[in-house]
Amino acid sequence: MYIHFPENKMFDYIEVYGRGAAEVTSIVFDSRKSQKGAAFFCMKGLNQDGEAFIDEALQKGSTVIVSQNGKRMKELSLSYPALTFIEVLNTRTAAAQFSAAFYHNSCRDLFLTGVTGTNGKTTVASYIRSILNVLGLPAGMIGTNGIWSSREKLPFRGSTPTTPEAPDLHRIFSEYAEHGEKAAVMEVSSIALDQKRVEGIQFDVAVHTNLSPEHMEYHKTFENYREAKLKLFKQADKAVVNADDVLGAEILSVFPGRVLTYSLNRDVQADIHAYAITPSETGTSAVIEMNGHAQHVFLPVFGEYNIANILAAVCTALHGGYSLSRVLEAAEKIEPVEGRFQVVWGKEKQKIIIDYAHTPTALDQLLREVKKQNGRRVILMLMGIGIRDFSKMPRMAATAEGRADQIVVSVDHPGDHEPQVIIDQVLSGFRHPEDPSISTALNREEAVRKALSLSSEGDIVLLTSGCINGAQIVKGQSIPHSDEKVIEEYFEQNGCGQQRSI
C-alpha cells in the first residue's frame, strides 16, 4: 500500500520527518520480523522497548519507523532522508489505528464479540463460535487456545498469550473476511485493554463472565484490574452480563446499550436462568428459562460453571437475532473445548480431566464438581505459573489442601525463574507441606507422568492449568507441549492403551 502520510492520515501523529510517502507492505512491532517495506512501531512491552531495536528494523528493510521519541525521529531522518519517521503521542494507539486502516477495517464486516472476565473466557468464546457455526453463521475465534476459523485451527503463532497485538489482530480479521467468515469471537484480556490492543474496535457484543483477583503482577491493584475490564463495555453496542457476579451490577449501571443478563440462581433477577442442573458421565441436563418459557436441554458439558458459560454464549447468539429455541438446539451440539474439563479415559478406567483452572476461584469450582463424584480417589496436579502473580501461588495451595488424595505440585511457564523457586512458593500455602500425600515435579511433563503413576482403577486425575497456544514459556522460548501426547505415551510405555472421550 502506497501511503502519502500528510494527505492520507490513517492515524494520529505529531510530525512526519524525512520522506512524506512510502510503500508499506506490512506492520511489525518485533524488529526480528522487519522486512523490506515494513512499518515498524516502537512499542514498549513488559521487558523490552521497541526503541532499542530501531537499528535492527532499519537494517532489515523497514521504510517507516513510528515512535514517541520525536527527537530521535528527527535525528534519524537526517541520516536516512529517503525513509519515513513519524512522531506520535502514543505508539500503541497509533499501531491500532494504522492496523485497522491498513487492513481495510475488516472487523466492521464481522459480527464481532469480545469476551472478558477472570475465568471462562476461552470456554465462552469457544461455545459462542460453536453455536454460531451450527446456526449457519461462519465464525472464527481468537484466544488462549489459538486462532480458529469456522472450520479448523489455523497455524498462527500468537504474539501474546490471549489477545494478539493490534497489527496481528487486524491481519486475522482481514483473513477472516477474505475467507468468508461472517463472525468472530475473541477473548479480550485486561492487559490487552490496558495496552490498547483493541483500541478503536467497536464490538457488536461485549460479554462479562466473572471477576476475581488476577494479573496483580501487571495491574498492581484489584481496582486497576477492574477498571481495565470495564473498558470493553465502552466500545460495544450490546452486552451480556453475569448477574451472579459482583461486577455485573456495575456494568448494568453504566452501560447505555441493550443488555442480556444470565444467572444460575432463580432468586436473582436476570433475563435467562438455568436450573435443575443434573450431571452425568456424558454431559449435563438442565432447564433453561427465559420470559416464562422453560425448555429442558442436554448439553455435552460438565460443571455448573460451564452451564453459566453456556448461558453467556446463548445470550450472545440472541443478540445476533436468533430465536431461543434455535439457539438452544444449537447449544446441544456444541463442540468440546480443548483443555476445559476435557475428559480422557485411561484403560484402567481412570477419569483424566484436563482443565485450565489457574486461579483459586476456578480451582475451587473444579474441585466442587469433582467432589460430586463420590467414592473416587482424586489425584490433583497443582501448578505455579512463573509468568503470573507469585502471591497467587500460596492461595492455590490453600484452596487445594485437604481436597485431594494426592497432590503433585509443579510448574507451568517458568519464564526466567528457576522451577524450584516457583514450587517452593506454592508449597508455602499449605498448612502441612510435609504431608506425604504432597509431592513435586520440576516440569509439567514430569508432573503429568507422576500424577498418572499415582492413579489406579477408577481414580480421577485432575491436570490443572495448562499450555498457552500449545506451548510452555521457558526463558523467552515457547516449548511445544501436549498433555494428551504425554498421557498417550505414558500408557503405551506402561503396557496399556488409552482412549479419548468427551
Side-chain angles (χ1 to χ4, degrees):
M1 178 184 293
Y2 187 79
I3 304 171
H4 191 278
F5 290 98
E7 294 180 2
N8 189 0
K9 197 169 183 180
M10 300 169 69
F11 60 96
D12 297 329
Y13 61 80
I14 297 172
E15 189 64 60
V16 176
Y17 299 99
R19 191 179 179 190
E23 180 71 29
V24 177
T25 58
S26 63
I27 306 169
V28 298
F29 52 88
D30 183 340
S31 60
R32 293 169 296 184
K33 297 180 181 180
S34 291
Q35 57 185 347
K36 184 178 180 180
F40 176 64
F41 283 76
C42 304
M43 298 197 303
K44 188 173 183 178
L46 295 177
N47 302 311
Q48 303 284 358
D49 189 338
E51 290 284 335
F53 300 95
I54 290 176
D55 289 343
E56 181 180 10
L58 291 170
Q59 290 169 7
K60 291 193 171 185
S62 290
T63 53
V64 177
I65 305 293
V66 182
S67 168
Q68 294 171 204
N69 189 337
K71 181 180 178 181
R72 189 171 185 202
M73 293 298 94
K74 186 175 181 178
E75 291 173 348
L76 284 169
S77 71
L78 299 177
S79 300
Y80 301 92
L83 304 182
T84 305
F85 299 87
I86 304 176
E87 178 188 358
V88 296
L89 183 64
N90 187 296
T91 309
R92 286 188 170 275
T93 295
Q97 293 172 340
F98 184 68
S99 298
F102 184 81
Y103 289 108
H104 308 292
N105 290 293
S106 296
C107 60
R108 297 178 184 175
D109 299 326
L110 303 166
F111 176 67
L112 186 60
T113 300
V115 182
T116 198
T118 305
N119 299 303
K121 292 189 296 298
T122 300
T123 303
V124 170
S126 298
Y127 289 168
I128 293 170
R129 170 185 174 268
S130 188
I131 288 174
L132 292 180
N133 283 326
V134 173
L135 289 169
L137 188 70
M141 183 184 72
I142 301 166
T144 306
N145 271 4
I147 312 301
W148 293 73
S149 70
S150 57
R151 298 168 295 279
E152 61 187 353
K153 190 173 186 177
L154 302 177
F156 181 93
R157 184 175 292 278
S159 50
T160 62
T162 301
T163 311
E165 294 285 2
D168 288 342
L169 187 58
H170 287 280
R171 178 161 63 90
I172 294 166
F173 290 148
S174 177
E175 291 181 6
Y176 279 169
E178 182 180 341
H179 290 93
E181 307 295 353
K182 301 300 181 184
V185 55
M186 61 178 292
E187 298 177 51
V188 186
S189 69
S190 59
I191 296 174
L193 287 160
D194 186 66
Q195 293 185 348
K196 305 180 185 298
R197 297 179 205 165
V198 294
E199 183 96 351
I201 296 174
Q202 186 67 17
F203 292 88
D204 293 284
V205 182
V207 180
H208 154 65
T209 61
N210 49 66
L211 187 75
S212 59
E214 177 69 333
H215 297 303
M216 293 300 106
E217 80 286 350
Y218 178 89
H219 293 289
K220 307 305 180 187
T221 69
F222 183 69
E223 177 65 18
N224 290 341
Y225 177 55
R226 184 186 65 83
E227 287 297 323
K229 290 290 188 187
L230 286 171
K231 290 178 181 179
L232 178 63
F233 297 88
K234 296 178 182 178
Q235 53 190 99
D237 297 329
K238 300 174 183 178
V240 173
V241 173
N242 182 358
D244 295 332
D245 186 74
V246 62
L247 190 63
E250 186 169 358
I251 296 171
L252 292 173
S253 68
V254 299
F255 188 76
R258 186 186 173 204
V259 181
L260 287 175
T261 55
Y262 63 95
S263 173
L264 298 184
N265 185 345
R266 298 177 76 184
D267 294 328
V268 172
Q269 184 175 351
D271 294 296
I272 188 167
H273 292 89
Y275 55 91
I277 299 169
T278 307
S280 73
E281 285 289 344
T282 56
T284 305
S285 63
V287 175
I288 294 180
E289 183 176 6
M290 185 176 188
N291 296 329
H293 172 74
Q295 182 170 332
H296 182 273
V297 295
F298 183 82
L299 303 162
V301 304
F302 303 92
E304 283 194 9
Y305 54 89
N306 275 329
I307 300 301
N309 292 333
I310 286 280
L311 292 183
V314 166
C315 287
T316 302
L318 292 174
H319 272 319
Y322 297 95
S323 67
L324 179 62
S325 59
R326 283 193 66 194
V327 174
L328 293 183
E329 184 180 349
E332 291 187 309
K333 301 174 183 176
I334 60 168
E335 299 173 354
V337 183
E338 183 181 285
R340 304 305 189 272
F341 215 108
Q342 177 184 350
V343 178
V344 177
W345 290 95
K347 192 171 183 181
E348 296 179 336
K349 297 183 180 179
Q350 300 101 323
K351 186 175 186 179
I352 306 162
I353 300 173
I354 304 172
D355 192 277
Y356 193 61
H358 66 291
T359 68
T361 300
L363 180 62
D364 176 66
Q365 291 176 335
L366 178 63
L367 289 169
R368 286 176 186 272
E369 290 301 323
V370 170
K371 186 69 174 179
K372 295 175 183 177
Q373 304 182 39
N374 295 325
R376 306 181 82 164
R377 292 176 71 245
V378 176
I379 292 86
L380 170 66
M381 188 177 78
L382 182 66
M383 312 300 284
I385 306 175
I387 60 173
R388 292 288 185 260
D389 178 17
F390 265 51
S391 68
K392 181 178 71 175
M393 298 179 193
R395 292 188 285 117
M396 294 292 285
T399 300
E401 190 163 19
R403 301 173 72 178
D405 296 278
Q406 294 282 340
I407 298 176
V408 180
V409 177
S410 189
V411 181
D412 265 338
H413 313 293
D416 293 325
H417 302 286
E418 290 301 319
Q420 190 60 52
V421 173
I422 298 168
I423 290 171
D424 290 342
Q425 181 72 359
V426 177
L427 291 174
S428 71
F430 289 108
R431 293 191 305 274
H432 304 289
E434 74 287 349
D435 191 300
S437 67
I438 301 172
S439 57
T440 64
L442 287 174
N443 59 63
R444 187 172 183 91
E445 180 175 349
E446 181 185 335
V448 172
R449 290 180 175 277
K450 178 171 284 192
L452 294 173
S453 73
L454 292 169
S455 70
S456 56
E457 183 175 350
D459 288 348
I460 296 175
V461 181
L462 293 181
L463 307 180
T464 65
S465 191
C467 291
I468 296 172
N469 294 319
Q472 290 282 306
I473 300 173
V474 182
K475 297 188 183 301
Q477 301 297 314
S478 293
I479 310 299
H481 173 90
S482 167
D483 283 351
E484 291 177 277
K485 183 178 180 181
V486 174
I487 294 168
E488 183 177 2
E489 289 176 350
Y490 173 84
F491 283 112
E492 286 178 351
Q493 291 166 3
N494 286 275
C496 52
Q498 60 92 27
Q499 61 183 24
R500 181 174 173 177
S501 184
I502 296 174

